[in-house]
Amino acid sequence: MCGIIGIISHNNVQHMLVQALKTMEYRGYDSAGICMLEDAASGLKNVKEKGKLQHLQQALKQQPLTGNLGIGHTRWATHGKPEVRNAHPHQTATLAIVHNGIIENHQALRTELQQTGANFLSDTDSEVIPWLWQQQRTQFSNEKEAFLHTLNTLKGAYAIAGLQAHDPDKLWFARRGSPLLLARGSSGVFVASDALAVAGEADEVMYLQEGEWGWTTLEDTYVFDVQGKSVALKWQAMPHMVSATDKGDYAHYMLKEIHEQPRVYRDILHAYTDVSGSVHFPQADFIHNDTLPKRIIMVACGTSYHAALTARYWLERYLKVPVEVDVASEFRYRDPVIGDHTWLITLSQSGETADTLEALRLFKRRTPHNKTLAFCNVPHSSLVRESDGLIELYAGPEIGVASTKAYTAQLMALALFSLQLAQQNQALDTKEVQQHIQALQYAADHVDVLLQESHQFDMLTQIFSHAHGALFLGRGPCYPLALEGALKLKEISYLHAEGYAAGEMKHGPIALVDKNLPVVVLALRQYHLDKVISNLHEVQARGAKIILITDLPKSECPQDVDAIVNIPEGDFFSAPLIASIPLQFLSYNVARSKGTDVDQPRNLAKSVTVE
Ligand code: M6R
């Protein structure tokens, strides 16, 4: 959600602001804007545009700004439609801010501030911040006190960067509930939502902790805690970051990322297994050293939640302990019973998902003695910094909003994790673990072949030309895969789709079946094949169009289905890694046929940093 950047530099910051926003456009693309200050006499200059960043870039060509201090924002709307007047930065005559988060008491503050003369121009919650800050400036001669009071009056979550019109040498910042970091390099000092935004510019970084705030000049940085006490500065070397590469010859990032999956599978296997076939997680020693847990709780959102659901089948079979999987937004508010000897596993591509982070914090508050482990693609993210251990996903930057390679990376890492615990629990011996690892290696080869033959998925698209929705069915680990297939289709083609446990289909959704409802059936030999085929016949008998994704040879497939996608056979762990591929192509191809924006679908953002 919303990317924010603030820069103070020796040079004009316009180009750097726009470049930083470009790397954070995945956080939201409803509108974008920058505000710059040249000197105390010139006043604040603000340019904002609705829609993607390219519109702002066009506007800045017509109307370039000058100044060595500036803030910028790319928006994912929470309050107020995506319009120019709701775009950030928001300003008064004397100061301007950009904000990521939600100000929960904005309505009450707005009413109060209006009574004292505030003139609101937007429908956003964020616009109360500059008016409140301006009001506090009139009440406190000390500007530190004024900013602290402003922050303490706000309820909710925020990452803020701000500047004051009279002071071109000072960049203000604050963090509570939304990610924010400071960075510095030869060109200046930065405040940003994401280290990627300053990857080419900064040599050192400092991740702000909850409640921290302060200001920076080019020479000095001051950070305070919620009480206003000084906090020691903890600059650290900027982590090596693979900057987002371009799309190459691919039409979309999503397509490129689909094609990267065999590389990702191999990188994960290389990172966590050795030639003898043993599994080791160097950034999560407790897995190897502690006694096994009596219970595992897995918490995540969206696609990451689906990956967790798959792992439950793997872990429960071999570890023989209860594995509970919950969406983070439910877990954090349902007063969960946790108990001792429990590990919390969080899964997140970004490591900044607000609900997942809060679920982790709740777990740690309730049972600080229990261990927490993050499966995450961003090793310097908030989730990782706050967890006891990390299993890094090595997927590389994922730009397409619809997750593909990060999802299968999660599956691969979870499969290795399950195998390691199975071995520690003596449910599998070394030889058996080696065989499963080999099957995971074969999965990379199988996916290579599927990608080379991806034209076979083209025929599926026309089945969706008159569809009013779609149903995805599977059993066992293919059930969460069905959920994921449906989510992918919804996200990028805007077609209503449901994933269902095939055995549940008779309990309701079968009523939806007609000739314009394609039903995607995932029938793999590993997971209750006969029962899934019976479910297929039940929907087929009611006139549904059937797309069968199966590892059965053609000769053994049921007849008269509308399309068959044959995939190579995997084992208990590797099968979902192979079966994900046709689902990804299905959603990609349908989206293309509908002409939607594949990489930046409407209403979505890559990183959901508000609850
Ligand atoms: O970064 P996270 O994995 O925590 O994100 C969770 C979800 O927001 C994410 O998986 C979302 O569902 C994707 N758009 C799926 O394609």
Side-chain angles (χ1 to χ4, degrees):
M1 308 275 117
C2 306
I4 71 173
I5 178 76
I7 307 177
I8 182 160
S9 172
H10 301 287
N11 311 311
N12 187 315
V13 294
Q14 178 184 302
H15 180 68
M16 281 192 281
L17 287 171
V18 173
Q19 285 306 110
L21 292 180
K22 208 170 188 175
T23 64
M24 291 192 288
E25 208 181 4
Y26 70 88
R27 288 174 163 262
Y29 32 82
D30 292 340
S31 59
I34 63 171
C35 177
M36 287 173 48
L37 181 64
E38 191 167 6
D39 54 46
S42 61
L44 301 168
K45 299 280 170 14
N46 207 330
V47 179
K48 329 198 246 194
E49 285 296 323
K50 181 177 162 176
K52 294 190 182 183
L53 188 63
Q54 68 199 47
H55 298 134
L56 176 69
Q57 288 173 295
Q58 287 301 329
L60 287 168
K61 272 192 192 143
Q62 311 298 320
Q63 197 187 341
L65 299 182
T66 48
N68 295 357
L69 175 66
I71 53 178
H73 190 270
T74 178
R75 179 169 189 248
W76 184 86
T78 59
H79 296 65
K81 288 187 179 147
E83 301 287 352
V84 174
R85 68 197 175 83
N86 290 328
H88 298 222
H90 291 293
Q91 68 169 93
T92 66
T94 61
L95 45 86
I97 62 98
V98 285
H99 166 230
N100 173 30
I102 292 179
I103 304 302
E104 288 165 1
N105 57 339
H106 72 100
Q107 201 53 58
L109 286 173
R110 181 178 272 254
T111 311
E112 269 174 45
L113 290 161
Q114 271 165 337
Q115 282 158 9
T116 59
N119 176 24
F120 287 94
L121 302 175
S122 80
D123 304 322
T124 66
D125 55 331
S126 310
E127 201 187 358
V128 299
I129 302 171
W131 286 106
L132 180 64
W133 189 11
Q134 179 168 288
Q135 186 211 48
Q136 298 298 310
R137 287 286 286 125
T138 61
Q139 295 191 0
F140 294 90
S141 53
N142 178 322
E143 59 180 11
K144 178 184 166 192
E145 289 292 306
F147 195 57
L148 178 59
H149 270 260
T150 305
L151 299 176
N152 287 345
T153 310
L154 300 173
K155 293 206 169 81
Y158 53 74
I160 298 169
L163 44 88
Q164 302 187 82
H166 73 275
D167 192 351
D169 298 323
K170 215 177 269 174
L171 175 63
W172 294 78
F173 54 82
R175 177 211 165 147
R176 186 168 81 200
S178 301
L180 197 66
L181 57 86
L182 301 175
R184 63 183 181 187
S186 56
S187 52
V189 187
F190 307 83
V191 172
S193 307
D194 186 327
L196 255 188
V198 293
E201 301 286 350
D203 312 318
E204 288 182 301
V205 65
M206 188 189 326
Y207 295 98
L208 291 170
Q209 303 303 310
E210 278 298 280
E212 288 184 349
W213 63 278
W215 68 83
T216 186
T217 65
L218 264 174
E219 292 77 30
D220 299 303
T221 301
Y222 301 88
V223 181
F224 306 95
D225 67 12
V226 267
Q227 270 93 38
K229 287 199 204 107
S230 273
V231 167
L233 302 184
K234 291 188 193 126
W235 292 105
Q236 46 182 280
M238 179 81 184
H240 171 69
M241 314 212 61
V242 187
S243 58
T245 49
D246 63 22
K247 292 194 288 251
D249 290 337
Y250 293 100
H252 296 96
Y253 279 107
M254 181 180 174
L255 188 61
K256 175 172 181 266
E257 287 157 6
I258 289 174
H259 278 267
E260 283 171 357
Q261 290 174 106
R263 191 275 299 156
V264 175
Y265 292 7
R266 292 185 183 109
D267 282 357
I268 295 172
L269 286 162
H270 179 71
Y272 297 128
T273 65
D274 64 21
V275 275
S276 69
S278 71
V279 182
H280 186 71
F281 298 106
Q283 298 178 87
D285 276 343
F286 73 85
I287 296 173
H288 306 280
N289 301 335
D290 283 23
T291 48
L292 290 171
K294 297 217 163 86
R295 184 161 168 247
I296 291 179
I297 300 176
M298 305 178 88
V299 173
C301 301
T303 289
S304 298
Y305 167 69
H306 296 156
L309 285 173
T310 301
R312 176 164 65 187
Y313 293 90
W314 295 334
L315 286 164
E316 285 193 335
R317 173 179 281 197
Y318 293 109
L319 200 57
K320 300 287 178 225
V321 301
V323 177
E324 188 185 321
V325 185
D326 207 348
V327 285
S329 53
E330 286 301 311
F331 180 83
R332 63 180 284 198
Y333 288 117
R334 77 175 159 79
D335 204 6
V337 178
I338 297 175
D340 297 334
H341 310 291
T342 301
W343 288 359
L344 177 79
I345 295 178
T346 55
L347 297 105
S348 176
Q349 187 286 127
S350 62
E352 300 295 349
T353 301
D355 284 320
T356 310
L357 260 171
E358 285 306 323
L360 167 67
R361 289 171 184 158
L362 171 97
F363 181 91
K364 285 174 64 171
R365 273 196 308 276
R366 294 264 177 102
T367 58
H369 51 284
N370 279 328
K371 287 288 194 285
T372 59
L373 174 66
F375 283 71
C376 189
N377 198 31
V378 184
H380 48 83
S381 60
S382 304
L383 193 73
V384 173
R385 294 200 308 275
E386 294 182 32
S387 299
D388 296 316
L390 162 68
I391 296 187
E392 193 177 340
L393 300 175
Y394 295 111
E398 192 180 59
I399 309 298
V401 164
S403 183
T404 51
K405 63 175 180 170
Y407 167 65
T408 50
Q410 285 171 341
L411 291 179
M412 178 61 92
L414 285 162
L416 294 178
F417 173 71
S418 308
L419 286 169
Q420 174 58 25
L421 294 194
Q423 189 167 18
Q424 283 175 227
N425 195 36
Q426 295 173 352
L428 289 175
D429 63 27
T430 311
K431 195 157 168 255
E432 288 166 319
V433 170
Q434 280 170 352
Q435 282 163 354
H436 286 299
I437 291 176
Q438 197 163 56
L440 291 167
Q441 277 155 354
Y442 290 148
D445 302 338
H446 292 321
V447 170
D448 265 332
V449 175
L450 283 178
L451 293 173
Q452 278 156 28
E453 295 169 356
S454 63
H455 53 85
Q456 65 161 315
F457 308 124
D458 295 350
M459 55 152 179
L460 307 179
T461 312
Q462 47 114 14
I463 298 178
F464 285 77
S465 53
H466 298 293
H468 55 76
L471 203 55
F472 290 71
L473 302 177
R475 282 174 182 255
C478 277
Y479 162 44
L481 204 54
L483 295 176
E484 176 58 12
L487 177 67
K488 221 68 318 157
L489 189 67
K490 277 189 261 227
E491 279 188 300
I492 59 170
S493 73
Y494 315 147
L495 199 62
H496 181 77
E498 294 227 42
Y500 245 84
E504 266 296 289
M505 188 257 320
K506 288 196 281 290
H507 300 282
I510 200 164
L512 298 172
V513 170
D514 64 19
K515 67 179 178 13
N516 288 325
L517 185 85
V519 180
V520 180
V521 181
L522 291 154
L524 303 188
R525 282 186 265 202
Q526 285 293 329
Y527 312 130
H528 321 292
L529 178 70
D530 294 345
K531 295 199 185 301
V532 178
I533 296 295
S534 303
N535 298 136
L536 179 153
H537 288 307
E538 287 159 0
V539 281
Q540 190 179 32
R542 284 157 181 88
K545 289 214 160 62
I546 308 284
I547 295 168
L548 173 62
I549 297 177
T550 184
D551 52 13
L552 280 175
K554 273 223 164 76
S555 57
E556 290 176 34
C557 288
Q559 298 306 299
D560 300 332
V561 296
D562 297 86
I564 298 178
V565 176
N566 286 101
I567 58 172
E569 186 179 358
D571 75 353
F572 186 62
F573 293 93
S574 64
L577 285 150
I578 303 167
S580 302
I581 307 301
L583 295 176
Q584 295 169 352
F585 272 102
L586 173 66
S587 61
Y588 177 76
N589 290 339
V590 173
R592 285 208 76 179
S593 73
K594 293 194 178 296
T596 55
D597 187 339
V598 170
D599 284 333
Q600 294 184 327
R602 70 182 182 202
N603 304 339
L604 293 175
K606 184 78 186 155
S607 178
V608 183
T609 58
V610 293
E611 68 167 302

